[in-house]
Every structure is written in structure tokens, then in C-alpha cells.
Amino acid sequence: MAGAKTVGNNLPQGLVVMFGLLFLTSLFEKLPNPVLGAIVILALSDLVQPMHWYHIYKVKPLDFLVPWVTFIMILWLGIADGIGIGVAFSLFMLILYSSFPGFAILGKRGADFVPIYQYDDDKGIDGVVIFRFAADLHFANAGILQSRVHEIVERKRGTPNEVHTVVIDASGMHFVDCTGATEMCVLKKALSYVSEEHPDRKPVQLLVAECNHSVRRTLQRAGFLSISQDAESIRGAPSVFYDRVDDAVKSAQDLKNNTDRFELYG
């Protein structure tokens, strides 16, 4: 209603619509279909905003598909089915976006950790890979984190800068589902495992920094701590979770300096 300032105006609006549907529909029964169509078009004309569609296309062209798919499906299948397909397509686009998360390898510049592009080892930290995963970790993208970390570790095996610690910067990871937590456990176990075929390969420890309480609790429930619980509690190895990336890096470097202690991770 004109001049309304609160959501309370929905109540009288609803009552008016209900009254019209119950008692006034007979007045429209004999109106020609073109007239009824004109009334509907006039009522819905404010919902059609071409400039808003253009804004969507300019900001994110891929998002422009959502209203068009919904519009075409409504014309083809009807309102209910068309809207249902539009909602399903929106969910599909959400999963598609989250399947290609942003990530970066960090190096230290001054007191800050900044992304290192094209694996520039000159700016990195010897033996430590800081991997920032800038997305929630779930079934659609958990495999990407694991494959990228393995790729980086394997690339540096046998080099002077061989990796002994991977630090996951989880500052952008606000949610982890069961699949994501399981993949983290698998990654930690795979990095710490030394096979009989390659006994010369040293284990790599996996640390997590700057993760929120919800992510930490989910990882703990998945058994993330129990994979190396013996090494942590008995041998005095460092913690797995750190409040800051800098603390995780310092802990990894201190552990590396004590070679005998580090070898116990095998």
C-alpha cells in the first residue's frame, strides 16, 4: 500500500486479495481473455527490469543465464515447472562456482604473507609450503585441494627446497562438510606415509592455520588429530592447529632444525 513504512502493510494487502478471490472473481468471469491478459501484464510490468538484467550481464555474464533459463522454461513448461527448473539451475550454478575455488601459495614479504605467483621459490620459505584455500571445503572441491597440495610437494621432492611441512591457510574456509573433512584426513595420512618402495622419502607434516571453531571441530570429529596423535602426544611434536600462519611456520622451522625429532614423524 502507498505510504506504508513497515511490513505490517502485508496484512491488509493479504486481506484485500483474499476478499477479491472469494467474492469478486465472478465480476471478471465474462471479461474477454485479451482484457484479462492486459490486466496481468499491467500488474506484472513493474517486475520486468531490463536495466537490472543488463547490470547482471555486465557484472557476471554467467549469472545472466539464470533468469533467461527460468524465463524460457516458464514459457515452455508453465509457471510451477519453470520456476522449479530455475531454482535447480541456480543451485547447479552455485555448485559449479564452488567447484573451482581460488587458491594461492604464500610467501613472506616483510611481516605479511602474500601470494607467490608462478611458484616463485625465491620468495618462498625453505621447506614450507603455505597453501591458502579461499573457499569452503566440500564434496565439490575437496579433491582439488588434495591434488594441488600433492602436486606442489612432488614437484619439490629431491630438490634443495624439498617440502617438510605444508601449512593450510584456512582463513577463507568457513565451512567443511563430511567429504571435505575426510579428504583432509586422507591428505594428512598420505603426506606422513613413507612407503617401502621409497624409503628415502621423508614424511611431510600438515598443519592448519587460522581456521574457525566450526571447521576445527569438524576436522576433529573426522579424526584429523588421531592420525598423528601418537607423534604429537608422546614425542612432543607441535600442534596441528594454529591461530596464525606465522605461528605455524615458526613451529615447522623449529621442528626442522631438530633433525632427530623430525625423523620421528616417519
PDB file of all heavy atoms in Angstrom, residues 188-202:
ATOM      1  N   LYS A 188      46.431 -35.748   4.990  1.00  0.00           N
ATOM      2  CA  LYS A 188      47.403 -35.763   6.081  1.00  0.00           C
ATOM      3  C   LYS A 188      48.075 -37.121   6.204  1.00  0.00           C
ATOM      4  O   LYS A 188      49.296 -37.213   6.405  1.00  0.00           O
ATOM      5  CB  LYS A 188      46.707 -35.392   7.388  1.00  0.00           C
ATOM      6  CG  LYS A 188      47.666 -35.255   8.568  1.00  0.00           C
ATOM      7  CD  LYS A 188      46.916 -34.856   9.820  1.00  0.00           C
ATOM      8  CE  LYS A 188      47.899 -34.689  10.978  1.00  0.00           C
ATOM      9  NZ  LYS A 188      47.215 -34.379  12.241  1.00  0.00           N
ATOM     10  N   LYS A 189      47.277 -38.163   6.053  1.00  0.00           N
ATOM     11  CA  LYS A 189      47.841 -39.509   6.157  1.00  0.00           C
ATOM     12  C   LYS A 189      48.775 -39.804   4.993  1.00  0.00           C
ATOM     13  O   LYS A 189      49.833 -40.424   5.172  1.00  0.00           O
ATOM     14  CB  LYS A 189      46.704 -40.526   6.193  1.00  0.00           C
ATOM     15  CG  LYS A 189      47.159 -41.949   6.465  1.00  0.00           C
ATOM     16  CD  LYS A 189      45.976 -42.883   6.632  1.00  0.00           C
ATOM     17  CE  LYS A 189      46.435 -44.303   6.952  1.00  0.00           C
ATOM     18  NZ  LYS A 189      45.272 -45.223   7.151  1.00  0.00           N
ATOM     19  N   ALA A 190      48.397 -39.371   3.796  1.00  0.00           N
ATOM     20  CA  ALA A 190      49.224 -39.630   2.614  1.00  0.00           C
ATOM     21  C   ALA A 190      50.555 -38.888   2.699  1.00  0.00           C
ATOM     22  O   ALA A 190      51.604 -39.422   2.310  1.00  0.00           O
ATOM     23  CB  ALA A 190      48.469 -39.219   1.353  1.00  0.00           C
ATOM     24  N   LEU A 191      50.537 -37.655   3.203  1.00  0.00           N
ATOM     25  CA  LEU A 191      51.774 -36.892   3.310  1.00  0.00           C
ATOM     26  C   LEU A 191      52.714 -37.458   4.367  1.00  0.00           C
ATOM     27  O   LEU A 191      53.942 -37.387   4.226  1.00  0.00           O
ATOM     28  CB  LEU A 191      51.459 -35.429   3.639  1.00  0.00           C
ATOM     29  CG  LEU A 191      50.757 -34.615   2.547  1.00  0.00           C
ATOM     30  CD1 LEU A 191      50.439 -33.216   3.057  1.00  0.00           C
ATOM     31  CD2 LEU A 191      51.615 -34.533   1.284  1.00  0.00           C
ATOM     32  N   SER A 192      52.157 -38.016   5.421  1.00  0.00           N
ATOM     33  CA  SER A 192      53.002 -38.537   6.509  1.00  0.00           C
ATOM     34  C   SER A 192      53.432 -39.982   6.291  1.00  0.00           C
ATOM     35  O   SER A 192      54.205 -40.525   7.076  1.00  0.00           O
ATOM     36  CB  SER A 192      52.241 -38.443   7.838  1.00  0.00           C
ATOM     37  OG  SER A 192      51.067 -39.228   7.797  1.00  0.00           O
ATOM     38  N   TYR A 193      52.945 -40.607   5.212  1.00  0.00           N
ATOM     39  CA  TYR A 193      53.245 -42.024   4.968  1.00  0.00           C
ATOM     40  C   TYR A 193      54.544 -42.180   4.177  1.00  0.00           C
ATOM     41  O   TYR A 193      54.783 -41.475   3.197  1.00  0.00           O
ATOM     42  CB  TYR A 193      52.093 -42.669   4.199  1.00  0.00           C
ATOM     43  CG  TYR A 193      52.327 -44.115   3.815  1.00  0.00           C
ATOM     44  CD1 TYR A 193      52.352 -45.116   4.777  1.00  0.00           C
ATOM     45  CD2 TYR A 193      52.545 -44.461   2.484  1.00  0.00           C
ATOM     46  CE1 TYR A 193      52.565 -46.436   4.428  1.00  0.00           C
ATOM     47  CE2 TYR A 193      52.753 -45.777   2.125  1.00  0.00           C
ATOM     48  CZ  TYR A 193      52.767 -46.760   3.092  1.00  0.00           C
ATOM     49  OH  TYR A 193      52.982 -48.062   2.741  1.00  0.00           O
ATOM     50  N   VAL A 194      55.372 -43.095   4.623  1.00  0.00           N
ATOM     51  CA  VAL A 194      56.614 -43.420   3.916  1.00  0.00           C
ATOM     52  C   VAL A 194      56.493 -44.857   3.421  1.00  0.00           C
ATOM     53  O   VAL A 194      56.404 -45.795   4.222  1.00  0.00           O
ATOM     54  CB  VAL A 194      57.852 -43.265   4.826  1.00  0.00           C
ATOM     55  CG1 VAL A 194      59.116 -43.651   4.064  1.00  0.00           C
ATOM     56  CG2 VAL A 194      57.958 -41.836   5.336  1.00  0.00           C
ATOM     57  N   SER A 195      56.489 -45.024   2.113  1.00  0.00           N
ATOM     58  CA  SER A 195      56.292 -46.362   1.551  1.00  0.00           C
ATOM     59  C   SER A 195      57.597 -47.142   1.530  1.00  0.00           C
ATOM     60  O   SER A 195      58.696 -46.564   1.584  1.00  0.00           O
ATOM     61  CB  SER A 195      55.730 -46.254   0.127  1.00  0.00           C
ATOM     62  OG  SER A 195      56.679 -45.620  -0.722  1.00  0.00           O
ATOM     63  N   GLU A 196      57.471 -48.477   1.431  1.00  0.00           N
ATOM     64  CA  GLU A 196      58.650 -49.325   1.347  1.00  0.00           C
ATOM     65  C   GLU A 196      59.370 -49.148   0.018  1.00  0.00           C
ATOM     66  O   GLU A 196      60.580 -49.355  -0.067  1.00  0.00           O
ATOM     67  CB  GLU A 196      58.235 -50.786   1.536  1.00  0.00           C
ATOM     68  CG  GLU A 196      57.633 -51.094   2.900  1.00  0.00           C
ATOM     69  CD  GLU A 196      57.237 -52.551   3.025  1.00  0.00           C
ATOM     70  OE1 GLU A 196      57.397 -53.283   2.022  1.00  0.00           O
ATOM     71  OE2 GLU A 196      56.777 -52.955   4.119  1.00  0.00           O
ATOM     72  N   GLU A 197      58.624 -48.781  -1.026  1.00  0.00           N
ATOM     73  CA  GLU A 197      59.259 -48.575  -2.333  1.00  0.00           C
ATOM     74  C   GLU A 197      60.125 -47.328  -2.356  1.00  0.00           C
ATOM     75  O   GLU A 197      61.085 -47.249  -3.114  1.00  0.00           O
ATOM     76  CB  GLU A 197      58.184 -48.466  -3.416  1.00  0.00           C
ATOM     77  CG  GLU A 197      57.395 -49.747  -3.674  1.00  0.00           C
ATOM     78  CD  GLU A 197      56.307 -49.942  -2.634  1.00  0.00           C
ATOM     79  OE1 GLU A 197      56.122 -49.038  -1.796  1.00  0.00           O
ATOM     80  OE2 GLU A 197      55.649 -51.004  -2.664  1.00  0.00           O
ATOM     81  N   HIS A 198      59.793 -46.352  -1.513  1.00  0.00           N
ATOM     82  CA  HIS A 198      60.569 -45.102  -1.474  1.00  0.00           C
ATOM     83  C   HIS A 198      60.927 -44.777  -0.025  1.00  0.00           C
ATOM     84  O   HIS A 198      60.431 -43.815   0.560  1.00  0.00           O
ATOM     85  CB  HIS A 198      59.769 -43.952  -2.091  1.00  0.00           C
ATOM     86  CG  HIS A 198      59.332 -44.216  -3.492  1.00  0.00           C
ATOM     87  ND1 HIS A 198      60.183 -44.090  -4.577  1.00  0.00           N
ATOM     88  CD2 HIS A 198      58.132 -44.616  -3.994  1.00  0.00           C
ATOM     89  CE1 HIS A 198      59.523 -44.376  -5.687  1.00  0.00           C
ATOM     90  NE2 HIS A 198      58.279 -44.703  -5.364  1.00  0.00           N
ATOM     91  N   PRO A 199      61.813 -45.576   0.579  1.00  0.00           N
ATOM     92  CA  PRO A 199      62.149 -45.325   1.986  1.00  0.00           C
ATOM     93  C   PRO A 199      62.935 -44.037   2.194  1.00  0.00           C
ATOM     94  O   PRO A 199      63.023 -43.542   3.321  1.00  0.00           O
ATOM     95  CB  PRO A 199      63.003 -46.554   2.348  1.00  0.00           C
ATOM     96  CG  PRO A 199      63.577 -47.011   1.041  1.00  0.00           C
ATOM     97  CD  PRO A 199      62.535 -46.716   0.006  1.00  0.00           C
ATOM     98  N   ASP A 200      63.518 -43.492   1.107  1.00  0.00           N
ATOM     99  CA  ASP A 200      64.289 -42.265   1.234  1.00  0.00           C
ATOM    100  C   ASP A 200      63.407 -41.022   1.314  1.00  0.00           C
ATOM    101  O   ASP A 200      63.887 -39.942   1.665  1.00  0.00           O
ATOM    102  CB  ASP A 200      65.256 -42.127   0.055  1.00  0.00           C
ATOM    103  CG  ASP A 200      64.525 -42.169  -1.280  1.00  0.00           C
ATOM    104  OD1 ASP A 200      63.531 -42.926  -1.390  1.00  0.00           O
ATOM    105  OD2 ASP A 200      64.948 -41.461  -2.211  1.00  0.00           O
ATOM    106  N   ARG A 201      62.146 -41.183   0.987  1.00  0.00           N
ATOM    107  CA  ARG A 201      61.248 -40.040   1.032  1.00  0.00           C
ATOM    108  C   ARG A 201      60.867 -39.713   2.476  1.00  0.00           C
ATOM    109  O   ARG A 201      60.380 -40.561   3.206  1.00  0.00           O
ATOM    110  CB  ARG A 201      59.984 -40.313   0.223  1.00  0.00           C
ATOM    111  CG  ARG A 201      60.214 -40.336  -1.271  1.00  0.00           C
ATOM    112  CD  ARG A 201      58.871 -40.369  -2.006  1.00  0.00           C
ATOM    113  NE  ARG A 201      59.043 -40.277  -3.437  1.00  0.00           N
ATOM    114  CZ  ARG A 201      58.045 -40.189  -4.306  1.00  0.00           C
ATOM    115  NH1 ARG A 201      56.802 -40.212  -3.853  1.00  0.00           N
ATOM    116  NH2 ARG A 201      58.276 -40.092  -5.599  1.00  0.00           N
ATOM    117  N   LYS A 202      61.087 -38.485   2.849  1.00  0.00           N
ATOM    118  CA  LYS A 202      60.759 -38.069   4.205  1.00  0.00           C
ATOM    119  C   LYS A 202      59.281 -37.697   4.292  1.00  0.00           C
ATOM    120  O   LYS A 202      58.696 -37.194   3.339  1.00  0.00           O
ATOM    121  CB  LYS A 202      61.620 -36.876   4.607  1.00  0.00           C
ATOM    122  CG  LYS A 202      63.100 -37.202   4.690  1.00  0.00           C
ATOM    123  CD  LYS A 202      63.895 -36.000   5.137  1.00  0.00           C
ATOM    124  CE  LYS A 202      65.380 -36.344   5.248  1.00  0.00           C
ATOM    125  NZ  LYS A 202      66.180 -35.178   5.686  1.00  0.00           N
TER     126      LYS A 202
END
